[in-house]
Amino acid sequence: GAGVSQSPRYKVAKRGQDVALRCDPISGHVSLFWYQQALGQGPEFLTYFQNEAQLDKSGLPSDRFFAERPEGSVSTLKIQRTQQEDSAVYLCASRTNQETQYFGPGTRLLVL
Amino acid sequence: KQEVTQIPAALSVPEGENLVLNCSFTDSAIYNLQWFRQDPGKGLTSLLLIQSSQREQTSGRLNASLDKSSGRSTLYIAASQPGDSATYLCAAPWGNDYKLSFGAGTTVTVRA
């Protein structure tokens, strides 16, 4: 079946612009995660949804970062007033009640 | 927070040689441990998941061991092939067992 998909795959933004990153999880997956991966590093947890409820947003680096999943399926990660330090790959993952998380290809964000 | 470390950061071997990748973690009350593969510009592919009650898990040429008492996991790849060239990441869940803490990865190059 289809895996986790993310769009856009690449995004170039000027400093100060707002961006929106989309994640389509595997159909039926209850849990959805966002991670941020800096160059040469492992992914860092940002936020976690169970259905439409955002149960953990402790990893969001600032109040410029906002995530939603209004219908318990597609999720959007929004970054307001982007800064150069926001440049990274943003990964989305989903899972059922089992432990394995299935990752999407990521969105590579470059802020100039 | 669970801290995960991977050594070495990079590894280059000739084709046919066995690979040994190391992962260490700080919290021995681990729920499970996962190994992922990441190809350049791609998302993460789950390779193996070892439950805390298991000592090892095998899939084809891959074998992963888990030693909770020493805080270590090792991924063995037998008879390496050029197609095994990628970055390998280990991850352990923390915080109610859903969010993953990743190591920085070991980048493997298998020379033909």
Short mmCIF file of all heavy atoms in Angstrom, two decimals, chain A residues 22-57:
data_model
loop_
_atom_site.label_atom_id
_atom_site.label_comp_id
_atom_site.label_asym_id
_atom_site.label_seq_id
_atom_site.Cartn_x
_atom_site.Cartn_y
_atom_site.Cartn_z
N ARG A 22 3.22 19.65 4.51
CA ARG A 22 2.10 18.73 4.61
C ARG A 22 2.56 17.30 4.77
O ARG A 22 3.57 16.90 4.18
CB ARG A 22 1.23 18.85 3.36
CG ARG A 22 0.06 17.90 3.28
CD ARG A 22 -0.63 17.98 1.93
NE ARG A 22 -1.58 16.89 1.74
CZ ARG A 22 -2.90 17.03 1.74
NH1 ARG A 22 -3.43 18.25 1.93
NH2 ARG A 22 -3.70 16.00 1.56
N CYS A 23 1.82 16.54 5.54
CA CYS A 23 2.09 15.11 5.72
C CYS A 23 0.80 14.32 5.53
O CYS A 23 -0.22 14.61 6.18
CB CYS A 23 2.65 14.83 7.11
SG CYS A 23 2.80 13.07 7.51
N ASP A 24 0.86 13.31 4.65
CA ASP A 24 -0.25 12.37 4.48
C ASP A 24 0.19 11.03 5.07
O ASP A 24 1.02 10.34 4.46
CB ASP A 24 -0.59 12.19 3.00
CG ASP A 24 -1.33 13.38 2.43
OD1 ASP A 24 -0.67 14.37 2.06
OD2 ASP A 24 -2.57 13.31 2.39
N PRO A 25 -0.33 10.65 6.22
CA PRO A 25 0.11 9.40 6.84
C PRO A 25 -0.48 8.19 6.13
O PRO A 25 -1.34 8.33 5.25
CB PRO A 25 -0.45 9.51 8.26
CG PRO A 25 -1.70 10.31 8.09
CD PRO A 25 -1.38 11.31 7.00
N ILE A 26 -0.02 7.02 6.52
CA ILE A 26 -0.60 5.78 6.02
C ILE A 26 -2.05 5.71 6.50
O ILE A 26 -2.33 5.98 7.68
CB ILE A 26 0.22 4.57 6.49
CG1 ILE A 26 1.62 4.62 5.84
CG2 ILE A 26 -0.48 3.27 6.14
CD1 ILE A 26 2.58 3.58 6.36
N SER A 27 -2.95 5.34 5.60
CA SER A 27 -4.36 5.30 5.93
C SER A 27 -4.63 4.40 7.13
O SER A 27 -4.13 3.27 7.20
CB SER A 27 -5.15 4.77 4.72
OG SER A 27 -6.52 4.68 5.03
N GLY A 28 -5.37 4.94 8.08
CA GLY A 28 -5.72 4.15 9.27
C GLY A 28 -4.74 4.28 10.42
O GLY A 28 -5.00 3.79 11.52
N HIS A 29 -3.61 4.93 10.17
CA HIS A 29 -2.65 5.09 11.26
C HIS A 29 -3.11 6.18 12.22
O HIS A 29 -3.34 7.31 11.84
CB HIS A 29 -1.26 5.43 10.69
CG HIS A 29 -0.51 4.24 10.23
ND1 HIS A 29 0.85 4.25 10.00
CD2 HIS A 29 -0.92 2.98 9.97
CE1 HIS A 29 1.25 3.05 9.61
NE2 HIS A 29 0.18 2.26 9.58
N VAL A 30 -3.20 5.79 13.48
CA VAL A 30 -3.74 6.67 14.50
C VAL A 30 -2.72 7.73 14.92
O VAL A 30 -3.03 8.89 15.13
CB VAL A 30 -4.18 5.83 15.72
CG1 VAL A 30 -4.50 6.70 16.92
CG2 VAL A 30 -5.37 4.96 15.35
N SER A 31 -1.47 7.30 15.04
CA SER A 31 -0.43 8.18 15.59
C SER A 31 0.37 8.83 14.48
O SER A 31 0.68 8.20 13.46
CB SER A 31 0.51 7.38 16.49
OG SER A 31 -0.20 6.80 17.56
N LEU A 32 0.70 10.10 14.68
CA LEU A 32 1.49 10.84 13.70
C LEU A 32 2.53 11.66 14.44
O LEU A 32 2.24 12.27 15.48
CB LEU A 32 0.58 11.74 12.86
CG LEU A 32 1.22 12.51 11.70
CD1 LEU A 32 0.26 12.61 10.51
CD2 LEU A 32 1.71 13.87 12.13
N PHE A 33 3.73 11.69 13.89
CA PHE A 33 4.87 12.36 14.52
C PHE A 33 5.53 13.29 13.52
O PHE A 33 5.60 12.99 12.33
CB PHE A 33 5.93 11.34 14.96
CG PHE A 33 5.41 10.23 15.84
CD1 PHE A 33 4.77 9.14 15.30
CD2 PHE A 33 5.58 10.29 17.21
CE1 PHE A 33 4.29 8.11 16.10
CE2 PHE A 33 5.11 9.27 18.02
CZ PHE A 33 4.47 8.18 17.46
N TRP A 34 6.06 14.39 14.03
CA TRP A 34 6.94 15.27 13.25
C TRP A 34 8.31 15.29 13.92
O TRP A 34 8.42 15.39 15.15
CB TRP A 34 6.39 16.69 13.19
CG TRP A 34 5.24 16.90 12.25
CD1 TRP A 34 3.91 16.93 12.55
CD2 TRP A 34 5.33 17.14 10.84
NE1 TRP A 34 3.17 17.17 11.42
CE2 TRP A 34 4.01 17.31 10.35
CE3 TRP A 34 6.39 17.25 9.93
CZ2 TRP A 34 3.73 17.57 9.01
CZ3 TRP A 34 6.10 17.51 8.59
CH2 TRP A 34 4.78 17.66 8.15
N TYR A 35 9.36 15.21 13.07
CA TYR A 35 10.74 15.29 13.53
C TYR A 35 11.47 16.33 12.67
O TYR A 35 11.14 16.54 11.52
CB TYR A 35 11.47 13.95 13.39
CG TYR A 35 10.96 12.84 14.29
CD1 TYR A 35 9.87 12.06 13.92
CD2 TYR A 35 11.60 12.56 15.49
CE1 TYR A 35 9.42 11.04 14.75
CE2 TYR A 35 11.16 11.54 16.32
CZ TYR A 35 10.06 10.78 15.94
OH TYR A 35 9.62 9.76 16.76
N GLN A 36 12.52 16.90 13.25
CA GLN A 36 13.39 17.83 12.53
C GLN A 36 14.79 17.22 12.46
O GLN A 36 15.32 16.79 13.50
CB GLN A 36 13.44 19.17 13.27
CG GLN A 36 14.32 20.23 12.63
CD GLN A 36 14.52 21.43 13.55
OE1 GLN A 36 14.98 21.29 14.68
NE2 GLN A 36 14.15 22.61 13.09
N GLN A 37 15.37 17.17 11.27
CA GLN A 37 16.70 16.58 11.12
C GLN A 37 17.66 17.62 10.55
O GLN A 37 17.55 17.99 9.37
CB GLN A 37 16.66 15.33 10.24
CG GLN A 37 18.00 14.61 10.18
CD GLN A 37 17.94 13.31 9.41
OE1 GLN A 37 17.06 13.12 8.57
NE2 GLN A 37 18.85 12.40 9.69
N ALA A 38 18.60 18.05 11.35
CA ALA A 38 19.65 18.96 10.88
C ALA A 38 20.71 18.15 10.14
O ALA A 38 20.83 16.93 10.33
CB ALA A 38 20.27 19.71 12.05
N LEU A 39 21.47 18.81 9.30
CA LEU A 39 22.48 18.14 8.49
C LEU A 39 23.47 17.38 9.36
O LEU A 39 24.04 17.93 10.29
CB LEU A 39 23.20 19.19 7.63
CG LEU A 39 24.14 18.65 6.56
CD1 LEU A 39 23.32 17.89 5.51
CD2 LEU A 39 24.90 19.80 5.90
N GLY A 40 23.64 16.10 9.06
CA GLY A 40 24.61 15.29 9.78
C GLY A 40 24.17 14.83 11.15
O GLY A 40 24.97 14.25 11.90
N GLN A 41 22.91 15.07 11.49
CA GLN A 41 22.40 14.69 12.80
C GLN A 41 21.24 13.71 12.66
O GLN A 41 20.67 13.54 11.58
CB GLN A 41 21.91 15.92 13.56
CG GLN A 41 22.98 16.97 13.80
CD GLN A 41 24.11 16.44 14.65
OE1 GLN A 41 23.88 15.78 15.66
NE2 GLN A 41 25.33 16.72 14.26
N GLY A 42 20.88 13.07 13.76
CA GLY A 42 19.68 12.24 13.76
C GLY A 42 18.46 13.12 13.92
O GLY A 42 18.55 14.27 14.34
N PRO A 43 17.30 12.60 13.57
CA PRO A 43 16.06 13.38 13.74
C PRO A 43 15.80 13.71 15.21
O PRO A 43 16.11 12.91 16.09
CB PRO A 43 14.99 12.43 13.19
CG PRO A 43 15.71 11.51 12.28
CD PRO A 43 17.06 11.32 12.89
N GLU A 44 15.20 14.87 15.43
CA GLU A 44 14.79 15.31 16.77
C GLU A 44 13.28 15.44 16.81
O GLU A 44 12.67 16.04 15.91
CB GLU A 44 15.42 16.67 17.11
CG GLU A 44 16.94 16.65 17.25
CD GLU A 44 17.41 16.13 18.59
OE1 GLU A 44 16.56 16.06 19.52
OE2 GLU A 44 18.59 15.80 18.72
N PHE A 45 12.67 14.89 17.85
CA PHE A 45 11.22 14.91 18.00
C PHE A 45 10.69 16.33 18.10
O PHE A 45 11.25 17.16 18.82
CB PHE A 45 10.84 14.13 19.26
CG PHE A 45 9.40 14.26 19.67
CD1 PHE A 45 8.42 13.52 19.05
CD2 PHE A 45 9.03 15.15 20.67
CE1 PHE A 45 7.09 13.64 19.43
CE2 PHE A 45 7.72 15.29 21.06
CZ PHE A 45 6.74 14.53 20.43
N LEU A 46 9.60 16.60 17.39
CA LEU A 46 8.93 17.90 17.48
C LEU A 46 7.57 17.78 18.18
O LEU A 46 7.33 18.44 19.18
CB LEU A 46 8.72 18.50 16.09
CG LEU A 46 9.97 18.91 15.31
CD1 LEU A 46 9.58 19.43 13.93
CD2 LEU A 46 10.76 19.97 16.06
N THR A 47 6.70 16.92 17.62
CA THR A 47 5.35 16.86 18.15
C THR A 47 4.67 15.55 17.80
O THR A 47 5.12 14.86 16.87
CB THR A 47 4.50 18.05 17.65
OG1 THR A 47 3.23 18.07 18.31
CG2 THR A 47 4.28 17.99 16.14
N TYR A 48 3.61 15.21 18.53
CA TYR A 48 2.93 13.92 18.40
C TYR A 48 1.42 14.10 18.46
O TYR A 48 0.91 14.84 19.31
CB TYR A 48 3.39 13.01 19.53
CG TYR A 48 2.53 11.80 19.82
CD1 TYR A 48 2.32 10.82 18.87
CD2 TYR A 48 1.94 11.63 21.08
CE1 TYR A 48 1.55 9.70 19.15
CE2 TYR A 48 1.16 10.52 21.37
CZ TYR A 48 0.98 9.56 20.40
OH TYR A 48 0.21 8.45 20.69
N PHE A 49 0.72 13.46 17.52
CA PHE A 49 -0.74 13.45 17.48
C PHE A 49 -1.25 12.02 17.64
O PHE A 49 -0.68 11.08 17.09
CB PHE A 49 -1.25 13.97 16.12
CG PHE A 49 -1.04 15.43 15.90
CD1 PHE A 49 0.15 15.91 15.38
CD2 PHE A 49 -2.05 16.34 16.18
CE1 PHE A 49 0.33 17.26 15.16
CE2 PHE A 49 -1.89 17.69 15.96
CZ PHE A 49 -0.68 18.16 15.45
N GLN A 50 -2.34 11.92 18.37
CA GLN A 50 -3.11 10.68 18.36
C GLN A 50 -4.48 11.07 17.83
O GLN A 50 -5.23 11.82 18.48
CB GLN A 50 -3.21 10.07 19.75
CG GLN A 50 -3.83 8.68 19.73
CD GLN A 50 -3.63 7.93 21.04
OE1 GLN A 50 -2.95 8.39 21.93
NE2 GLN A 50 -4.23 6.77 21.15
N ASN A 51 -4.81 10.57 16.66
CA ASN A 51 -5.97 11.06 15.91
C ASN A 51 -5.83 12.58 15.74
O ASN A 51 -4.79 13.04 15.31
CB ASN A 51 -7.26 10.66 16.61
CG ASN A 51 -7.45 9.15 16.61
OD1 ASN A 51 -7.43 8.51 15.55
ND2 ASN A 51 -7.60 8.57 17.78
N GLU A 52 -6.84 13.37 16.11
CA GLU A 52 -6.74 14.82 15.92
C GLU A 52 -6.14 15.53 17.13
O GLU A 52 -5.88 16.74 17.07
CB GLU A 52 -8.11 15.40 15.59
CG GLU A 52 -9.11 15.37 16.74
CD GLU A 52 -9.80 14.03 16.90
OE1 GLU A 52 -9.43 13.08 16.16
OE2 GLU A 52 -10.66 13.92 17.78
N ALA A 53 -5.91 14.81 18.19
CA ALA A 53 -5.41 15.43 19.42
C ALA A 53 -3.89 15.53 19.43
O ALA A 53 -3.19 14.52 19.24
CB ALA A 53 -5.89 14.62 20.63
N GLN A 54 -3.41 16.72 19.67
CA GLN A 54 -1.96 16.93 19.80
C GLN A 54 -1.58 16.68 21.25
O GLN A 54 -1.80 17.52 22.12
CB GLN A 54 -1.59 18.36 19.37
CG GLN A 54 -0.10 18.59 19.28
CD GLN A 54 0.25 19.98 18.76
OE1 GLN A 54 -0.56 20.90 18.84
NE2 GLN A 54 1.45 20.16 18.23
N LEU A 55 -1.01 15.50 21.50
CA LEU A 55 -0.75 15.08 22.87
C LEU A 55 0.59 15.55 23.40
O LEU A 55 0.81 15.57 24.62
CB LEU A 55 -0.85 13.57 22.99
CG LEU A 55 -2.21 12.95 22.64
CD1 LEU A 55 -2.22 11.46 22.92
CD2 LEU A 55 -3.33 13.66 23.40
N ASP A 56 1.51 15.90 22.51
CA ASP A 56 2.84 16.31 22.96
C ASP A 56 3.41 17.27 21.93
O ASP A 56 3.54 16.90 20.77
CB ASP A 56 3.73 15.07 23.12
CG ASP A 56 5.08 15.38 23.75
OD1 ASP A 56 5.53 16.54 23.70
OD2 ASP A 56 5.70 14.43 24.28
N LYS A 57 3.70 18.48 22.36
CA LYS A 57 4.37 19.44 21.47
C LYS A 57 5.62 19.97 22.13
O LYS A 57 6.09 21.07 21.81
CB LYS A 57 3.42 20.57 21.08
CG LYS A 57 2.77 21.30 22.24
CD LYS A 57 1.83 22.38 21.70
CE LYS A 57 1.17 23.14 22.84
NZ LYS A 57 0.26 24.21 22.35
#
